[in-house]
Amino acid sequence: MSGPGNSSSVRRGLTFATGLVECLCFAGAVFGWASLVFVLKTEGYFNSLCINSTEANGTQVLDCGGQDEQFSLVFTIASFMNNFLTLPSGFLFDRFGTTVARLFGIFLYTMGCLLVAFSSAALSNLLFPALSLLAVGGIMFLMTNMQVGNLFGSRRSTIITLYNGAFDSSSALFLVIKLLYEAGVAIRSSFLFLSICSFIHLLRTFFLLPRRHIPYPLPDDYTYGITCGKSKTLTLEQTPSNGNALKATEETPLNKDEKQEKSFRECLMSRFFVWHLLWLSVMQLRHYLFIGTLNPMLQRLTEGEPSLVSQYTNAFAITQLCGVLCAPWNGLIMDRHKGKPRAEGESEQEADLRASILSLALTALQCVLFSVCASTPFLPLQYLTFILQVINRSFLYGGNAAFISLAFPSCHFGKLYGLVMALSAVFSLLQYPCFALVKGPLEGDPLYVNVGLTLLSLLAFIHPLSVYLHCRKLTSQRAINASS
């Protein structure tokens, strides 16, 4: 007969594996927008915005700039909502726990799938609420799953970054829908199937995740399940004789040093938070503009050849699958010091921060290289652009969540993660005026905007430099204290 330890290990393994599948197959689908746009254009969405125009040589052409702009607006709003509504989602998660947050997220995701399923060329505007609901529901899947890293101690950052990589890779879901569409499966059938899958999310919520939160550091006897919540001692086999006893056990703080931790306001006003926000915002803007304008860019570089546009769109979507393979590299970089002896007097948080410097700097460097390739109007080079984009995106979002988890108290994780995503979302709204600038005054040539964004992405190097200077200051203080 298997003991409690074996049961706990199996449960944790199932929680990790099913969470990975959930993030990989559902959470970040909205970022596969380029694949879905190809299908929606074929279906005639926003087709009324295409107009006949005459070129200088007298040739009649169909100008679909208005259609492209509308699709770009749908993605701009969805990506904004994906980040901005992470703030109330974070407060909801911190205040009411995993079950409430996930039930809300599942509801939003299901509604988004149903709206796409019942949209049509005549009801194209349904895409605006539909994609936003899919984005917000997906980010809540990710947020509630990232705490699973707390179950695995020394591999915490690796698990967090792996889940973020799976979130990125799930953008390939829309590629699957595109391929099914080309094979004869209606877009409505695909999205109805996705809405039915919400039943699986509900099962995970009640059987493989805690009602409240997974604490960190993890108590030795911690368990969870359908009724366990945050209790350190309650197991599935133990049922209190009255509800008040259960409530008292669940509300007992697991962190004895909680009163000594920084307040939410102190975290918010810290130099780490400000520079981290800048680090995320400038790189995220670059990625969002690239994804939102990928289809028109390919149309321009291929001179509108449909087979080439489809080929490069598929190549982009396939590379997104590699996000789940790239992201753990970042986690391993951040966890590489675990298990090694620390310097005398060095705290675990200081060691974590020191290990994060390489990750933060490497992510910024990747973004600059990706931006340079994306700015070069040479079609075959875009294969390299796609590879750099997925690697950088995996490092960016995995590193974002991992840094917040190690630099700030875990009791504020949901709020700080939500706030940094919300504020970066406001910054990302600049993608739409950038798109309008390219379409208008620049007459479709994005070179100057791309160069500007490449220069802007250099600001991301301020964050790792700030963390490096902070760690060096702490080392100097330890040296002075040791010599005195």
Side-chain angles (χ1 to χ4, degrees):
M1 184 176 179
S2 60
N6 290 336
S7 175
S8 177
S9 297
V10 170
R11 187 186 300 122
R12 292 182 187 187
L14 282 173
T15 300
F16 164 72
T18 55
L20 187 62
V21 171
E22 185 174 82
C23 289
L24 183 61
C25 297
F26 301 96
V30 70
F31 294 104
W33 178 238
S35 297
L36 191 62
V37 165
F38 188 89
V39 175
L40 296 174
K41 280 188 173 182
T42 306
E43 286 286 296
Y45 283 68
F46 300 120
N47 212 30
S48 60
L49 298 175
C50 292
I51 57 174
N52 289 315
S53 64
T54 305
E55 293 187 337
N57 60 6
T59 306
Q60 289 283 332
V61 294
L62 189 63
D63 182 6
C64 290
Q67 183 189 38
D68 287 336
E69 190 169 346
Q70 201 72 354
F71 280 125
S72 178
L73 183 60
V74 171
F75 179 75
T76 298
I77 293 173
S79 58
F80 171 77
M81 299 297 281
N82 173 78
N83 284 11
F84 190 75
L85 291 187
T86 307
L87 175 58
S89 300
F91 275 91
L92 181 72
F93 176 53
D94 282 350
R95 175 66 181 86
F96 296 103
T98 304
T99 300
V100 172
R102 283 183 59 83
L103 290 177
F104 185 59
I106 292 167
F107 171 75
L108 295 180
Y109 197 88
T110 306
M111 288 301 299
C113 289
L114 291 174
L115 283 176
V116 177
F118 292 103
S119 67
S120 63
L123 298 171
S124 299
N125 286 329
L126 283 179
L127 292 177
F128 286 98
L131 266 291
S132 295
L133 290 173
L134 282 174
V136 178
I139 201 68
M140 294 193 77
F141 287 161
L142 175 64
M143 185 185 299
T144 54
N145 275 310
M146 283 192 292
Q147 62 179 327
V148 173
N150 295 346
L151 295 172
F152 296 92
S154 63
R155 291 289 173 259
R156 184 187 185 203
S157 294
T158 304
I159 299 297
I160 291 173
T161 54
L162 180 61
Y163 274 12
N164 276 269
F167 177 85
D168 292 336
S169 293
S170 66
S171 59
L173 175 65
F174 284 172
L175 169 64
V176 174
I177 291 176
K178 174 180 178 290
L179 295 176
L180 288 173
Y181 177 80
E182 292 173 339
V185 178
I187 188 173
R188 173 171 295 183
S189 301
S190 295
F191 278 92
L192 284 176
F193 176 77
L194 288 178
S195 65
I196 293 171
C197 288
S198 295
F199 182 69
I200 300 172
H201 305 318
L202 288 172
L203 291 178
R204 277 201 77 238
T205 300
F206 292 114
F207 289 97
L208 290 174
L209 285 168
R211 188 172 66 85
R212 299 289 297 176
H213 303 95
I214 299 174
Y216 184 80
L218 196 71
D220 292 336
D221 53 355
Y222 177 76
T223 188
Y224 60 94
I226 192 168
T227 59
C228 294
K230 289 178 64 177
S231 171
K232 290 175 64 174
T233 57
L234 189 67
T235 66
L236 287 170
E237 291 77 22
Q238 295 171 320
T239 305
S241 58
N242 65 65
N244 292 333
L246 173 61
K247 182 177 179 181
T249 309
E250 288 183 345
E251 296 302 321
T252 303
L254 289 165
N255 191 343
K256 296 179 180 179
D257 299 325
E258 192 170 355
K259 294 182 180 179
Q260 300 174 8
E261 291 179 339
K262 289 182 179 180
S263 67
F264 176 65
R265 186 177 183 278
E266 288 174 326
C267 295
L268 194 61
M269 302 302 292
S270 68
R271 182 179 60 185
F272 279 171
F273 183 83
V274 173
W275 293 130
H276 186 68
L277 175 61
L278 177 69
W279 177 85
L280 175 65
S281 297
V282 296
M283 289 191 281
Q284 180 174 259
L285 174 63
R286 187 68 191 94
H287 282 274
Y288 278 6
L289 190 65
F290 178 76
I291 295 171
T293 61
L294 178 61
N295 189 266
M297 180 194 79
L298 292 177
Q299 292 277 358
R300 182 173 55 86
L301 293 180
T302 62
E303 299 181 349
E305 174 59 43
S307 61
L308 271 178
V309 173
S310 179
Q311 175 186 325
Y312 275 85
T313 300
N314 289 350
F316 171 73
I318 290 169
T319 56
Q320 301 304 298
L321 286 169
C322 299
V324 70
L325 303 177
C326 303
W329 304 345
N330 195 15
L332 292 171
I333 289 172
M334 301 183 84
D335 282 336
R336 67 188 188 279
H337 68 290
K338 301 286 189 181
K340 297 179 181 178
R342 297 195 297 268
E344 187 175 350
E346 183 181 41
S347 67
E348 183 177 357
Q349 186 191 41
E350 184 183 345
D352 286 340
L353 287 173
R354 190 183 302 281
S356 73
I357 296 171
L358 177 60
S359 167
L360 297 171
L362 193 57
T363 305
L365 178 61
Q366 291 166 355
C367 186
V368 173
L369 294 175
F370 150 64
S371 189
V372 169
C373 289
S375 304
T376 307
F378 181 56
L379 186 60
L381 183 64
Q382 299 316 307
Y383 287 120
L384 177 60
T385 304
F386 298 160
I387 294 170
L388 288 172
Q389 191 269 344
V390 72
I391 293 174
N392 184 232
R393 184 175 162 78
S394 299
F395 270 62
L396 177 64
Y397 288 108
N400 168 48
F403 183 82
I404 292 173
S405 72
L406 62 87
F408 303 105
S410 59
C411 59
H412 302 313
F413 176 80
K415 296 185 287 290
L416 288 171
Y417 180 78
L419 186 60
V420 77
M421 294 295 281
L423 293 175
S424 67
V426 176
F427 192 81
S428 71
L429 288 177
L430 289 173
Q431 65 180 299
Y432 190 69
C434 286
F435 183 81
L437 180 64
V438 171
K439 280 291 181 182
L442 297 179
E443 299 179 347
D445 186 358
L447 179 63
Y448 293 111
V449 169
N450 284 332
V451 170
L453 289 173
T454 302
L455 294 175
L456 185 66
S457 63
L458 293 172
L459 294 176
F461 285 101
I462 296 175
H463 186 31
L465 179 62
S466 172
V467 177
Y468 169 75
L469 293 175
H470 172 79
C471 291
R472 192 173 72 170
K473 180 181 177 182
L474 292 178
T475 301
S476 299
Q477 288 176 347
R478 282 203 314 274
I480 293 171
N481 294 336
S483 60
S484 62

